[in-house]
Amino acid sequence: NAGVTQTPKFQVLKTGQSMTLQCAQDMNHEYMSWYRQDPGMGLRLIHYSVGEGTTAKGEVPDGYNVSRLKKQNFLLGLESAAPSQTSVYFCASSQVRDFGANVLTFGAGSRLTVL
Amino acid sequence: GQNIDQPTEMTATEGAIVQINCTYQTSGFNGLFWYQQHAGEAPTFLSYNVLDGLEEKGRFSSFLSRSKGYSYLLLKELQMKDSASYLCAVRDRNYQLIWGAGTKLIIKP
């Protein structure tokens, strides 16, 4: 059981370049999300999805886009990377979002550096 | 605004007990979570509280007081492997998780 798999683990971009972070889960989870983690700050929600074909903005969505064409995959795109997007990105999924102790399962993280 | 406060760093001795506090001010409350995150790794779930009181799970316990906007994570019989960051998160009225910046726990022999 792989859980949540993120690719790539590391990426260096130049300002203005674009890229896609990929996330796949094999737990049949409905809810998937993308967070960024910066030093001295809590995890911040970028975008999330409560089911296949649906996406919604989180706390810090600007500069990012997402797609969830298949239930098991959630893609995070950066159209024109900026140095402020240098961060560690985590994909996380759970059975549902709104009830009980719906525990998030996180991917291993993707460290992105924008020069 | 919404806010979660935790100490930035704590140090404790192997075999001892440590209490990590978390205070919160959020728009509504639908549960509080504690996660553990080792350096360079993903957060992993430790505990969940939605009603006032203590939840015990082995060496770890978590306490919640909703009226005070306060929780703590209690770690007993500390082991070196407990060296990690501990993240407090509150689910608000919109069922979104608000995360604290985490408490880095350093265990000394």
Side-chain angles (χ1 to χ4, degrees), chain A residues 2-81:
Chain A
V4 178
T5 303
Q6 287 181 232
T7 55
K9 285 187 168 39
F10 301 93
Q11 183 72 49
V12 179
L13 291 177
K14 294 181 179 178
T15 297
Q17 287 185 319
S18 63
M19 77 159 297
T20 299
L21 296 176
Q22 303 195 18
C23 177
Q25 53 94 3
D26 62 2
M27 298 170 285
N28 202 35
H29 284 171
E30 293 291 339
Y31 178 78
M32 297 186 74
S33 56
W34 277 103
Y35 285 93
R36 60 177 290 171
Q37 188 174 41
D38 300 293
M41 302 182 73
L43 288 162
R44 291 185 291 170
L45 182 65
I46 304 171
H47 284 280
Y48 66 95
S49 167
V50 297
E52 179 179 321
T54 71
T55 63
K57 295 180 180 180
E59 179 186 357
V60 289
D62 293 343
Y64 306 94
N65 57 74
V66 289
S67 66
R68 190 152 179 215
L69 300 179
K70 294 183 178 181
K71 185 177 184 178
Q72 64 267 32
N73 299 121
F74 195 34
L75 307 181
L76 178 70
L78 286 73
E79 294 178 343
S80 180

Side-chain angles (χ1 to χ4, degrees), chain B residues 14-89:
Chain B
E14 189 176 16
I17 299 173
V18 71
Q19 177 175 311
I20 302 174
N21 295 325
C22 170
T23 57
Y24 63 88
Q25 291 177 310
T26 56
S27 302
F29 179 86
N30 282 295
L32 184 143
F33 297 79
W34 285 95
Y35 281 75
Q36 180 189 60
Q37 185 178 24
H38 286 100
E41 298 183 8
T44 56
F45 171 76
L46 284 178
S47 69
Y48 169 71
N49 295 72
V50 67
L51 300 176
D52 291 351
L54 190 68
E55 293 283 340
E56 297 186 81
K57 191 185 294 185
R59 294 189 298 114
F60 292 7
S61 303
S62 56
F63 171 83
L64 174 67
S65 168
R66 288 172 296 170
S67 63
K68 295 183 179 178
Y70 168 70
S71 172
Y72 68 73
L73 181 69
L74 191 72
L75 291 74
K76 302 176 183 176
E77 301 170 13
L78 285 170
Q79 302 175 11
M80 297 304 292
K81 67 178 182 179
D82 297 329
S83 292
S85 289
Y86 292 86
L87 315 180
C88 174

